[in-house]
Amino acid sequence: MLKPAKMFRRASWFAALLGSLVVAQAASAAVNYGSFVGPNIMYLNVTEEPTKVPGPNPAALFGPPTLNGNSLDFDPLGFNASASNGSFALTDGLLTTTVMAANANQYINQLWISEFGSYSLLGGTPAGTKVGISIDSIQAKVTQVNGLPVAPINLPKTIVYTNGGAAASTTAFGGIQFASNGGALVGQPWSANVSFNLAAVPGATKINLVLDNTLFAQSESNSLSFIDKKDFEIFTTVVPEPGTIMLALVGGLGMVLMGRKAWKKQEVA
């Protein structure tokens, strides 16, 4: 059991951290990158709100995206967290957009997120020198089916984190943590992938996507921790609506039957 003095110090530390986070959140400003229209998918009002504790607050974390076919690609330059000699750092980016089928008679059948980066840990102990990442709060809600508005439907999701390419289990705080081994871990790769189950909502044509992407770094005396995000991408695919597929099949069958009739007439003649 913690002594009262130690409990007070810990409570004061958390209060100070929370206060810093509130101030940083208040100081941060949303950055709207506009809308991007691909061959089959539109990403509308792509917006981020960046936060760093301790500051100063960055102008952006994800940075302006690039449209790559039907996917949206971000190449973050300053999305990182670093700590040394007993300090703590948290970097948080809130990204929102509306994903919508660009063409009539098409619906969204796949939506997934992929990101990767690296981390370094020098000195310290596993308990006190570590870094972490979380994308657990991500949500995708279908707001339109077959082109018609519906009450928001929250899509089930699957999140897989990897440490150096090996699948890593999540932690109680959400996300994944990487701890020091007491030596030097430099440039270790990590990745996170999120997929949404759209089979549960056939005919989805509009989806609101909201994600709170967090990195943190914690250190002890004579130790260093660092983690960054190097790439972030949203992937989407579409297929024809079920009704359109049926019409195409019926039309194709009609053409086949007409062809057979014409062939029989020629055979009789």
Side-chain angles (χ1 to χ4, degrees):
M1 183 174 181
L2 293 175
K3 294 180 180 180
K6 194 168 185 180
M7 289 179 66
F8 177 78
R9 287 197 300 270
R10 184 164 294 186
S12 300
W13 183 85
F14 278 114
L17 175 61
L18 181 60
S20 299
L21 182 57
V22 170
V23 171
Q25 290 279 11
S28 64
V31 182
N32 192 318
Y33 297 112
S35 299
F36 301 80
V37 180
N40 306 109
I41 288 292
M42 296 186 290
Y43 297 93
L44 308 177
N45 292 318
V46 181
T47 305
E48 74 158 304
E49 293 184 35
T51 300
K52 264 185 176 289
V53 179
N57 250 8
L61 291 171
F62 289 94
T66 301
L67 189 66
N68 183 15
N70 288 317
S71 66
L72 201 61
D73 183 35
F74 298 80
D75 296 307
L77 294 177
F79 205 145
N80 58 60
S82 62
S84 62
N85 294 319
S87 63
F88 178 90
L90 182 144
T91 302
D92 180 84
L94 178 67
L95 185 70
T96 61
T97 186
T98 297
V99 184
M100 189 172 181
N103 305 308
N105 301 322
Q106 288 186 334
Y107 71 94
I108 303 168
N109 72 321
Q110 291 187 83
L111 173 63
W112 72 99
I113 310 292
S114 179
E115 63 177 358
F116 66 82
S118 67
Y119 69 92
S120 296
L121 297 162
L122 302 175
T125 68
T129 299
K130 61 183 72 175
V131 292
I133 172 174
S134 177
I135 196 174
D136 286 29
S137 66
I138 187 170
Q139 287 190 334
K141 294 184 178 181
V142 176
T143 59
Q144 193 181 88
V145 174
N146 295 325
L148 299 175
V150 296
I153 304 169
N154 198 26
L155 290 172
K157 64 192 176 188
T158 300
I159 304 177
V160 177
Y161 294 95
T162 64
N163 180 7
S169 59
T170 58
T171 64
F173 91 105
I176 189 71
Q177 294 185 40
F178 310 112
S180 169
N181 64 359
L185 295 170
V186 180
Q188 302 296 304
W190 64 264
S191 68
N193 293 278
V194 185
S195 59
F196 294 96
N197 181 12
L198 274 150
V201 190
T205 48
K206 189 176 183 180
I207 301 171
N208 289 343
L209 184 64
V210 178
L211 67 102
D212 198 356
N213 212 179
T214 305
L215 301 179
F216 85 86
Q218 177 182 329
S219 67
E220 301 164 288
S221 296
N222 301 316
S223 72
L224 171 71
S225 58
F226 175 84
I227 184 169
D228 71 353
K229 190 188 312 294
K230 290 180 168 60
D231 187 74
F232 181 92
E233 196 158 2
I234 306 172
F235 299 90
T236 317
T237 63
V238 300
V239 294
E241 288 182 353
T244 305
I245 296 174
M246 185 59 67
L247 287 173
L249 290 174
V250 171
L253 180 60
M255 293 293 291
V256 170
L257 291 175
M258 288 177 63
R260 289 184 64 181
K261 286 182 180 179
W263 179 77
K264 285 185 177 181
K265 285 182 180 180
Q266 290 180 0
E267 192 176 54
V268 171

